[in-house]
Amino acid sequence: MEVNRKMTASKEEEKTVSHRDEMEKEQLINRLKRIEGQVRGIQKMIESDRYCVDILVQISAINAALKKVSLNMLGRHTNHCVSDAIKNGNGEEAIAELMEVFERFSKS
Amino acid sequence: MEVNRKMTASKEEEKTVSHRDEMEKEQLINRLKRIEGQVRGIQKMIESDRYCVDILVQISAINAALKKVSLNMLGRHTNHCVSDAIKNGNGEEAIAELMEVFERFSKS
Amino acid sequence: MEVNRKMTASKEEEKTVSHRDEMEKEQLINRLKRIEGQVRGIQKMIESDRYCVDILVQISAINAALKKVSLNMLGRHTNHCVSDAIKNGNGEEAIAELMEVFERFSKS
Amino acid sequence: MEVNRKMTASKEEEKTVSHRDEMEKEQLINRLKRIEGQVRGIQKMIESDRYCVDILVQISAINAALKKVSLNMLGRHTNHCVSDAIKNGNGEEAIAELMEVFERFSKS
């Protein structure tokens, strides 16, 4: 099972995973850096009084990009954490959690 | 009518509006700065191998925050640009554009 | 202004509109009859133990068809009821209601 | 593995499942009958010229009800078909299909 728990400085419990390799992490972080840049771009559009519809189209693009990251991550999560749980006989809980995330994602 | 067009350095036409006052712009930019910080937070979560579901919940929160910005902006756009177009007899085009934005928004 | 109120048998107030002509009403009703047939089709799929994914794809098609009807209706509502309200100086309330419907629609 | 294929009259291949018991099927069908009734209700609202926003709110309610059926079915699909595939070493394909369904669902 790939999910570990560690204690952070703040004594809060943080779950970690070990299935993301360096290349995958780099790709995800690069995608998020691009999204961060897009969010900064919206700030500049507002500063320069750009037309509402042009800004709204850009925000939709950011949402779509974030959803792509989420779907990618959902797929990997199911392939690793959920699959492992199922193989280890703890599938039910992992699937219930997956469905909750699905529902939240589909409404956001 | 509040929509203007100006030529940019790149010769591209950029529509601008004049209905956003300084306070409104500041509020929008502050909200987007917070969202930018949340996107950076996701990057850190990936760097420290945080559990997929915890990351996915955070991404859903960003999507929800962006949608709130969009809805706020859609409302102001309708109250200003679309209303003005309707009063000036150019409502049909402005409403068609609004519906397009709305469709895009509802799918993103 | 196209919105009227009438008292129903149950004493409940029901708002009506007069901007839908017979052809438009027929088209909308035909679309909804097709959707009704699709919902019955799902019932048959369940009765005959059809594969979950095939059923889920059909349900997504119904959702998409309903959203198309909604978008069409939203456009006509904005072109008629909201436009009239704006022209009569009651735009603010009509737009607030439109935004509420937008938000509800985008989450459903 | 619970997925079977049978040849229909039209020679089309139809996948079936065996994990839905009679009670579950009845519940699903009852929910869909209620949704069918709601779709008929919208037709009556259009016939009697009801206010657009009131109709739109009802359509959103149908979409929400259909999404609930979908989520319920997605959960059972994952607990049965996907779990079985994972246990039998065919997880990857089943998960790819699940992600596709999920993407379609989140956009509809």
Side-chain angles (χ1 to χ4, degrees), chain C residues 27-37 66 69 73, chain D residues 39-40 42-44 46 55 59 62:
Chain C
Q27 280 178 343
L28 280 169
I29 289 170
N30 283 342
R31 281 220 239 172
L32 287 160
K33 278 191 179 145
R34 247 191 325 270
I35 291 169
E36 195 193 322
L66 280 168
V69 171
M73 202 168 272
Chain D
V39 176
R40 262 196 305 274
I42 305 283
Q43 293 167 45
K44 267 177 223 137
I46 289 165
I55 299 177
I59 298 181
I62 299 177

Side-chain angles (χ1 to χ4, degrees), chain D residues 79-94:
Chain D
N79 267 305
H80 292 94
C81 310
V82 180
S83 277
D84 290 348
I86 288 168
K87 284 174 198 158
N88 294 323
N90 314 313
E92 218 160 307
E93 201 189 337

Side-chain angles (χ1 to χ4, degrees), chain D residues 69-85:
Chain D
V69 171
S70 289
L71 273 173
N72 179 295
M73 202 168 270
L74 264 174
R76 297 191 69 91
H77 172 62
T78 312
N79 267 305
H80 292 94
C81 310
V82 180
S83 277
D84 290 348

